[in-house]
């Protein structure tokens, strides 16, 4: 009897924990929606998303976030261009080529990379990468979208490497054996069989990496220069959506237009990251059903 | 004049010993495989029969614990000095579990010839696919759905697809590693049929746990026990009057 009661209680506690995590997400979303939508009552959505000028405190105030969206896209795309090939190649090396000793060391290093706080990465980037970029390309400032991309690539790498590596490792040995027994070389086997079979997992890893990059705030705020204009190249300062929210939230009047507009940015950001995660889930789900 | 039947040794094994992590798995083996015969290898678990088979196309090379001594000659050429990829093209292997690659039936077969640069034209590929599937007696069952996924076939069909895949690269020797351990009796019969058909063109080494299978398809049979070759001879003789007592005991099911 007593065992049954304990069983019952524990079951309910675990149930509560599970439900709570959903409740929190829903609550956050509702809050964001409430503040964001009330902003759109006073300000046209179209003007908000496609407006080029972000002058939240001038008279009359301009809330156009196109420059911020473009800034986010520049930094994210740049980070992906760097992190995806590097990350997938690293995962391949760790899971397929590296000898056992090297593999263990590399794996723990990559996992350690994930544990570095973003403010530290931003700090290191500011002290080393920014002056380096300025001198290398001979530009007025090193605080550019390009520097931000490099730092963010660093942060996305651990996600991409660990998840791709899992996917690659879960390709059954018999597939490889089958290809090798037909006279395929190791590289042919990796390229045509291993990569192909692990592709859904690798795509999911990339998506999760992108999600991480889009949402990243601290490092980009420190490195990208925070100029809210549409850049003509990646060697110009940009400002991302996340950095805008973080930088300006402290100076707004609670309940004012500026305050609400930051929530609206959060809403746009939420929609973007949600779509990325949703697509990643779809791909992963497709893999499992196969 | 008496016409002597030509019996050429396709594979000659000299003093082959294999080790796993320092432990002896196969001891000083001397055996030959005659061209166009089916040599079946029987023996209980741990008898070294699979180690032997996997040595013949050097699939063991991927195991870091594996070591070997001695020599294996394929047409008088020592396979341990050959390029392993070239060797595996000449000595194909069929595994216990059918492992189609995760692609269509058609792609499964053209995969290896394409990689090895044997074909490039679409019409040549079509020919290879048809020929290989016919030789593996699978053509009639799948000719209408060559582009469907190989993963959707039945176990027996997958195993014959794997045979077709090997045939597509025109090997000289085919190694069968317990090819019907995962199959039902009817699929097994079909795989055995294609084996007997195949020996006209290829030399076959078959490792099997199924003693009856050895008696059905083998021209000669070798009995391995604890890493040693106990006896090898004509299948009929081994099954009717084995020279060694252990062989007889195993065949009649007294142990193993």
């Amino acid at each position: 009897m007593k065992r049954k009661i304990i069983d019952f209680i524990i079951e309910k506690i675990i149930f509560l924990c599970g439900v709570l995590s959903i409740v929190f997400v829903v609550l956050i979303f509702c809050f964001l929606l409430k503040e964001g939508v009330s902003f759109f009552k006073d300000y046209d959505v179209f003007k908000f998303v496609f407006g080029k000028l972000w002058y939240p405190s001038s008279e009359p105030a301009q809330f156009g976030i196109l420059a911020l969206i473009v800034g986010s896209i520049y930094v994210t795309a740049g980070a992906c261009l760097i992190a995806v090939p590097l990350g997938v190649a690293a995962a391949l090396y760790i899971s397929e080529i590296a000898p056992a000793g090297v593999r263990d060391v590399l794996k723990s290093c990559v996992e350690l990379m994930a544990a570095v706080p973003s403010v530290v990465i931003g700090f290191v980037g500011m002290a080393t990468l920014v002056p380096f970029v300025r001198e290398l390309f001979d530009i007025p400032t090193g605080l550019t979208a390009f520097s931000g991309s490099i730092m963010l690539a660093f942060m996305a790498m651990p996600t991409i490497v660990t998840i791709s590596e899992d996917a690659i490792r879960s390709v059954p040995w018999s597939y490889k054996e089958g290809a090798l027994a037909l006279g395929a070389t190791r590289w042919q086997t990796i390229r045509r069989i291993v990569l192909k079979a692990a592709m859904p997992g690798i795509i999911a890893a990339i998506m999760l990496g992108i999600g991480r990059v889009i949402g990243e705030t601290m490092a980009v705020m420190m490195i990208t220069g925070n100029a809210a204009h549409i850049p003509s190249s990646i060697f110009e300062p940009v400002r991302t959506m996340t950095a805008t929210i973080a930088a300006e939230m402290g100076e707004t009047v609670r309940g004012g237009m500026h305050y609400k507009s930051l929530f609206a940015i959060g809403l746009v950001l939420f929609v973007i990251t949600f779509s990325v995660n949703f697509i990643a889930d779809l791909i992963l789900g497709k893999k499992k059903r196969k | 004049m008496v016409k002597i039947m030509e019996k050429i040794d396709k594979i000659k094994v000299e003093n082959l010993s294999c080790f796993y992590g320092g432990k002896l798995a196969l001891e000083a083996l001397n055996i030959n495989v005659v061209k166009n015969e089916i040599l079946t290898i029987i023996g209980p678990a741990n008898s070294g029969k699979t180690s032997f088979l996997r040595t013949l196309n050097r699939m063991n090379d991927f195991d870091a614990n594996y070591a070997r001594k001695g020599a294996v000659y394929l047409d008088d050429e020592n396979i341990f000095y050959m390029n392993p990829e070239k060797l595996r093209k000449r000595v194909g292997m069929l595994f216990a579990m059918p492992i189609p690659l995760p692609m269509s039936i058609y792609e499964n077969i053209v995969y290896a010839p394409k990689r090895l640069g044997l074909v490039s034209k679409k019409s040549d590929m079509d020919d290879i696919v048809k020929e290989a599937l016919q030789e593996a007696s699978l053509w009639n069952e799948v000719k209408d759905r060559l582009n469907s996924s190989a993963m959707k076939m039945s176990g027996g069909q997958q195993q014959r697809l794997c045979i077709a895949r090997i045939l597509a690269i025109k090997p000289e020797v085919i190694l069968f590693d317990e090819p019907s351990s995962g199959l039902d009796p009817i699929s097994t019969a079909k795989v055995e049929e294609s084996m007997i058909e195949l020996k006209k063109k290829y030399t076959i080494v078959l490792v099997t746990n199924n003693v009856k299978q050895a008696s059905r398809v083998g021209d000669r049979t070798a009995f391995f026990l604890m890493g040693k070759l106990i006896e090898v001879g004509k299948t009929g003789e081994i099954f009717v009057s084995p020279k060694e007592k252990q062989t007889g005991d195993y065949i009649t099911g007294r142990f193993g």
Side-chain angles (χ1 to χ4, degrees):
Chain A
M1 192 60 208
K2 195 180 156 202
R3 278 170 54 193
K4 263 195 178 161
I5 294 171
I6 293 175
D7 221 50
F8 177 79
I9 293 171
I10 289 179
E11 195 182 295
K12 290 298 165 218
I13 290 175
I14 292 173
F15 172 74
L16 198 69
C17 296
V19 170
L20 267 184
S21 63
I22 299 171
V23 169
F24 286 144
V25 172
V26 171
L27 279 182
I28 290 171
F29 181 67
C30 287
F31 189 65
L32 213 55
L33 205 63
K34 180 182 141 251
E35 299 285 347
V37 167
S38 77
F39 172 78
F40 290 131
K41 270 184 204 145
D42 302 330
Y43 203 84
D44 186 34
V45 183
F46 190 82
K47 244 170 94 191
F48 179 67
V49 177
F50 294 103
K52 286 183 185 139
L53 300 172
W54 177 254
Y55 294 131
S57 42
S58 64
E59 217 35 73
Q62 295 276 354
F63 298 103
I65 61 165
L66 188 64
L68 312 183
I69 294 179
V70 171
S72 278
I73 291 175
Y74 263 54
V75 174
T76 307
C80 289
L81 281 181
I82 300 167
V84 169
L86 266 181
V88 174
L92 263 182
Y93 178 73
I94 292 176
S95 54
E96 288 292 313
I97 297 162
V102 178
R103 177 196 305 156
D104 293 343
V105 174
L106 272 181
K107 257 199 106 165
S108 5
C109 285
V110 169
E111 273 152 24
L112 206 67
M113 242 166 92
V116 178
S118 62
V119 65
V120 173
I121 292 203
F123 207 63
V124 172
M126 234 163 115
T128 61
L129 183 70
V130 168
F132 177 71
V133 167
R134 192 189 61 222
E135 276 166 33
L136 186 66
F137 297 103
D138 195 24
I139 39 182
T141 172
L143 297 165
T144 61
F146 178 69
S147 326
S149 297
I150 293 180
M151 273 348 253
L152 281 184
F154 263 113
M155 307 184 64
M157 281 270 284
T159 314
I160 295 179
V161 173
T162 41
I163 297 178
S164 315
E165 201 245 325
D166 281 348
I168 292 168
R169 194 184 290 245
S170 64
V171 175
W173 167 244
S174 55
Y175 283 8
K176 296 173 217 167
E177 208 168 41
L180 289 167
L182 290 170
T185 60
R186 202 168 176 191
W187 169 238
Q188 286 170 334
T189 310
I190 289 177
R191 197 164 55 120
R192 300 284 171 164
I193 304 299
V194 176
L195 272 187
K196 197 169 177 184
M199 200 37 88
I202 294 174
I203 289 173
I206 293 171
M207 290 296 192
L208 289 174
I210 293 176
R212 171 114 166 78
V213 168
I214 294 180
E216 175 50 41
T217 309
M218 210 58 220
V220 284
M221 202 160 106
M222 293 166 82
I223 295 178
T224 54
N226 293 319
H229 75 116
I230 295 176
S232 55
S233 84
I234 54 166
F235 297 109
E236 281 178 31
V238 295
R239 175 191 278 208
T240 64
M241 292 187 275
T242 49
T244 307
I245 299 175
E248 296 180 6
M249 197 46 117
E251 34 185 88
T252 58
V253 184
R254 202 187 150 93
M257 271 301 265
H258 190 189
Y259 174 83
K260 284 180 187 165
S261 73
L262 295 183
F263 275 93
I265 295 179
L267 197 62
V268 172
L269 201 58
F270 183 87
V271 169
I272 294 176
T273 45
F274 181 80
S275 328
V276 169
N277 274 334
F278 186 70
I279 293 168
D281 266 1
L282 271 187
I283 293 168
L284 269 185
K286 197 176 145 206
K287 179 193 169 198
K288 269 180 200 138
R289 249 173 290 144
K290 251 187 189 168
Chain B
M1 261 181 66
V2 184
K3 198 182 170 205
I4 300 164
M5 275 282 283
E6 225 186 340
K7 290 226 167 177
I8 313 160
D9 280 348
K10 186 73 189 168
I11 296 175
K12 233 178 3 208
V13 179
E14 280 175 10
N15 258 327
L16 178 72
S17 297
C18 298
F19 308 86
Y20 280 102
K23 246 185 78 191
L24 195 66
L26 198 63
E27 195 182 336
L29 176 70
N30 286 294
I31 196 169
N32 63 332
V33 186
V34 180
K35 201 168 180 223
N36 295 95
E37 75 164 351
I38 299 182
L39 174 71
T40 62
I41 297 172
I42 55 171
N46 280 326
S47 57
K49 54 192 196 306
T50 298
S51 305
F52 168 59
L53 199 70
R54 293 170 70 91
T55 301
L56 290 183
N57 73 341
R58 294 181 54 187
M59 284 304 281
N60 281 333
D61 286 16
F62 300 104
D63 192 333
N65 290 321
Y66 168 80
R68 64 175 170 239
K69 258 186 354 205
V72 176
Y73 297 96
L74 176 69
D75 288 339
D76 299 322
E77 200 180 342
N78 191 334
I79 66 164
F80 299 142
Y81 297 122
M82 284 165 76
N83 172 326
E85 281 89 37
K86 288 212 177 101
L87 170 70
R88 288 184 204 120
K89 187 196 158 302
R90 292 174 63 186
V91 183
M93 181 165 208
L94 190 75
F95 298 93
M97 292 308 290
I99 29 174
L101 301 171
M103 32 177 116
S104 75
I105 296 173
Y106 188 92
E107 284 170 337
N108 255 284
I109 294 172
V110 295
Y111 170 77
K114 261 201 316 212
R115 293 289 82 70
L116 297 165
L118 300 178
V119 283
S120 51
K121 274 200 304 210
K122 175 87 172 76
S123 59
D124 290 349
M125 285 190 226
D126 291 345
D127 291 345
I128 283 195
V129 170
K130 186 170 180 191
E131 200 183 318
L133 284 173
Q134 277 171 340
E135 272 194 278
S137 29
L138 191 61
W139 174 251
N140 288 331
E141 288 164 58
V142 299
K143 64 181 172 200
D144 299 323
R145 51 184 180 111
L146 292 177
N147 288 319
S148 67
S149 167
M151 311 304 255
K152 290 190 189 126
M153 305 165 88
S154 76
Q157 286 176 331
Q158 288 186 353
Q159 194 61 299
R160 276 176 287 147
L161 174 70
C162 293
I163 297 180
R165 206 169 62 188
I166 296 167
L167 300 179
I169 52 173
K170 311 233 180 314
E172 297 157 31
V173 181
I174 307 176
L175 310 173
F176 288 80
D177 186 4
E178 296 168 25
S180 46
S181 57
L183 301 183
D184 64 273
I186 291 171
S187 306
T188 303
K190 285 199 168 159
V191 171
E192 285 175 11
E193 259 172 48
S194 46
M195 264 191 261
I196 290 170
E197 194 58 36
L198 289 174
K199 79 171 177 185
K200 291 176 192 157
K201 282 171 78 177
Y202 309 95
T203 306
I204 294 174
V205 182
L206 163 71
V207 160
T208 178
N209 275 325
N210 184 337
V211 174
K212 290 216 179 79
Q213 182 170 57
S215 71
R216 281 194 297 264
V217 299
D219 293 310
R220 289 192 307 147
T221 297
F223 175 59
F224 280 38
L225 183 66
M226 310 279 283
K228 273 187 232 157
L229 172 67
I230 303 295
E231 187 173 353
V232 57
K234 287 225 173 70
T235 301
E237 286 165 19
I238 288 242
F239 276 83
V240 175
S241 54
K243 292 191 195 76
E244 304 289 332
K245 185 171 172 299
Q246 287 158 314
T247 315
D249 286 351
Y250 181 74
I251 286 169
T252 51
R254 242 163 279 169
F255 80 96

